Amino acid sequence: MKESEGERWELLRGRVRARLETYRQIEDEELYEMIDEEIREAGKEGFFPLGERICMREKLFDAFRRLGVLQELMDRKDITEIMVNGKNRIFIEQGGGLRRWEGGFESEEQLEDTIQQIVSGVNRVVNVAEPIADARLPDGSRVHVVLPPVALDGPVLTIRKFPEVITMKRLTELGAVSEEAAAFLGTLVKARYNIFISGGTGSGKTTFLNALSAYIPPDERIVTIEDSAELQIRQIPNLVRLETRTDNGEGNRPVTVGDLIRASLRMRPDRIIIGEVRGEEAFSMLSAFNTGHDGSLCTGHGNGTSDMLARLETMVLMGAALPLDAIRSQIASAIDVMVHLGRLRDRSRKVLEIAEIGGYENGRIALYPLFRFREEGTGTKKVEGCLQKTGELKNREKLAAAGCEL
């Protein structure tokens, strides 16, 4: 952008921002009218070509209503993640790989304006006193923000896009799960088995949880609990969506996942879907799963099914001083099946293991593998393999009660 264009951009943006401060709320059409008025005034002050006026009009609207320079990236379906490491250091994930984008913000102030626009849209606050925040965009994309002085090189903004609802059929087409395993899990959901999904960062836990929830019968009452609402459950009319709240600096008490789990028990849910457990709320999750809410779903960070069970024990201990035997017994009673996802060296996301929790005996939780991913042709860059069946489901009581067959 030429210097004169940059100066004109800063001038117009400042004028529109000053006028917006007098409004509590403004519609898109009114904002366009305001921008047009300022552009006409700028045209009286000097030469302002028509093409530049049209471009400036959309750019100003994007800056105040959308995501400014990032909107171009948001509109592209082939980009799945946007990582802003400062005003002019932007990286994108495209086709499973990372690369640097040539664009950037003109100033750190412009980047901060975009961040404030995002977090204020979901009633969150991020500032020097509270420099870390989670938020979401209207399309469901997940947003994470870290501001200076915590972020040393300028504001950090990470956007994980969810441009479309990925169904289980689509996951089988992508090779993330076999048709046999998908049908097996679908039957378990209908038969009201409690399922826990584990995996590392970016392994596709939320996507898989969303796909699994499509098997829930539409005549049930569902309560979803998330840090930032991302699930897109569309087939359930009787749906209650709950989202946590952080301390916004105005005296409002934070509302945690544990608080929402306890509140959901008084809402008469048939099932509870918890976006993710990270800490002491794991104890509330187990209690909910053990008190007549069969068919509930949850996710958590773990490197494998055994590792996830160990992490659950630690998380429960963060919230309740219970004997380890009691915790393990609760876990074995609450969770029926575990699904572990992974992101492989070729950046593909796959179901790596499905295991049944068989109970608690002799100081350990019994795990029975049902499906396991077997890699073929190791050593090649592209991962080839399949999810093979390795065992039979032992606990078939819920299948019989629901009239389902495998």
Side-chain angles (χ1 to χ4, degrees), residues 83-90 105 107-113 115 126-128 131-132 144-158:
M83 292 149 277
V84 181
N85 300 344
K87 67 183 181 68
N88 54 11
R89 291 184 298 120
I90 300 176
F105 291 88
S107 65
E108 196 167 288
E109 180 187 30
Q110 188 182 357
L111 171 56
E112 290 178 354
D113 285 348
I115 289 172
V126 62
N127 50 37
V128 176
I132 301 174
H144 185 70
V145 176
V146 184
L147 294 184
V150 176
L152 301 180
D153 299 320
V156 176
L157 172 66
T158 308

Side-chain angles (χ1 to χ4, degrees), residues 79-255:
I79 294 174
T80 53
E81 194 146 3
I82 303 168
M83 292 149 277
V84 181
N85 300 344
K87 67 183 181 68
N88 54 11
R89 291 184 298 120
I90 300 176
F91 295 81
I92 59 174
E93 182 184 61
Q94 187 177 26
L98 295 179
R99 70 174 181 86
R100 185 166 181 171
W101 186 53
E102 61 275 8
F105 291 88
E106 294 174 12
S107 65
E108 196 167 288
E109 180 187 30
Q110 188 182 357
L111 171 56
E112 290 178 354
D113 285 348
T114 300
I115 289 172
Q116 293 300 334
Q117 179 182 321
I118 293 171
V119 297
S120 63
V122 289
N123 296 316
R124 301 283 173 105
V125 173
V126 62
N127 50 37
V128 176
E130 294 288 339
I132 301 174
D134 289 303
R136 70 178 188 280
L137 297 175
D139 67 353
S141 297
R142 180 190 305 168
V143 179
H144 185 70
V145 176
V146 184
L147 294 184
V150 176
L152 301 180
D153 299 320
V156 176
L157 172 66
T158 308
I159 302 174
R160 180 172 297 174
K161 294 169 60 180
F162 296 95
E164 60 177 329
V165 178
I166 299 181
T167 62
M168 193 62 74
K169 180 181 179 182
R170 180 59 178 153
L171 288 175
T172 59
E173 292 171 353
L174 293 171
V177 62
S178 66
E179 291 185 6
E180 182 183 15
F184 172 77
L185 290 172
T187 302
L188 295 191
V189 172
K190 294 172 186 175
R192 302 180 66 85
Y193 281 73
N194 291 330
I195 300 175
F196 194 100
I197 302 165
S198 68
T201 301
S203 59
K205 297 185 297 297
T206 302
T207 299
F208 200 83
L209 176 62
N210 211 67
L212 268 187
S213 67
Y215 291 107
I216 298 174
D219 60 347
E220 296 187 9
R221 177 171 169 81
I222 310 300
V223 177
T224 67
I225 297 168
E226 301 173 83
D227 274 327
S228 293
E230 299 166 3
L231 294 174
Q232 300 178 53
I233 301 174
R234 298 176 177 174
Q235 85 281 8
I236 306 294
N238 196 352
L239 175 68
V240 178
R241 302 170 69 224
L242 303 178
E243 184 179 63
T244 62
R245 183 183 71 187
T246 57
D247 185 355
N248 62 6
E250 298 177 358
N252 293 327
R253 186 182 72 83
V255 179

Side-chain angles (χ1 to χ4, degrees), residues 304-323:
T305 51
S306 297
D307 177 72
M308 190 68 246
L309 291 175
R311 292 201 69 237
L312 276 174
E313 293 172 10
T314 303
M315 286 189 277
V316 172
L317 285 170
M318 293 168 63
L322 295 174

